[in-house]
Amino acid sequence: MFIDPIQVANNISDISQINKVNDNKKTVNGTAGVSDAGAAQGAQVPFKSVFEDAVKDVISTDQQVNADAQKLATGQSDNLHQYSIDIAKAQLSIDLLVELRNKALDSYNEIMRMSI
């Protein structure tokens, strides 16, 4: 089994560059990894795709909050409650991403503590 080394990501946009490097499918014992198509049929979803979805959600909610703030500031919208809702969504998506990162680091540290 091959474990990819941890790569430093200084900001969210660096993650897309890291994904380009890791896009090569790895095979273990002659079988390919689980694909997203298999996930629709009830197979397990790889952690990488869950993490990518969380990052994409953070980016999209942040862009929505920025667009709403700009519309409110320029007077194009008076929909303040939607801005508040979008801020709450953005905060929740960031919290989810942070918790995913924390769980991944906890798991990594636990694996490193194991004796062989």
Side-chain angles (χ1 to χ4, degrees):
M1 179 165 67
F2 181 76
I3 298 175
D4 290 328
I6 294 177
Q7 298 175 358
V8 177
N10 294 326
N11 58 33
I12 292 177
S13 64
D14 288 346
I15 292 176
S16 62
Q17 294 172 351
I18 291 172
N19 287 338
K20 289 177 185 175
V21 173
N22 292 332
D23 276 345
N24 297 333
K25 297 272 183 183
K26 305 261 188 305
T27 57
V28 178
N29 296 331
T31 39
V34 177
S35 67
D36 289 337
Q41 299 172 355
Q44 293 181 349
V45 177
F47 180 73
K48 177 183 174 184
S49 67
V50 172
F51 206 77
E52 287 173 347
D53 290 343
V55 170
K56 288 176 187 175
D57 192 38
V58 167
I59 293 170
S60 67
T61 55
D62 184 50
Q63 290 172 345
Q64 184 63 41
V65 167
N66 290 338
D68 287 348
Q70 184 178 7
K71 287 179 183 176
L72 282 171
T74 58
Q76 295 174 353
S77 174
D78 59 354
N79 201 355
L80 186 59
H81 68 279
Q82 186 61 43
Y83 180 61
S84 299
I85 291 169
D86 288 341
I87 288 175
K89 285 181 183 178
Q91 185 61 45
L92 284 173
S93 65
I94 290 171
D95 291 345
L96 174 65
L97 182 62
V98 168
E99 287 301 320
L100 284 171
R101 182 210 56 186
N102 290 345
K103 289 296 181 183
L105 287 175
D106 289 345
S107 301
Y108 176 79
N109 288 332
E110 190 67 29
I111 291 170
M112 289 298 118
R113 280 190 228 123
M114 288 182 185
S115 62
I116 297 177

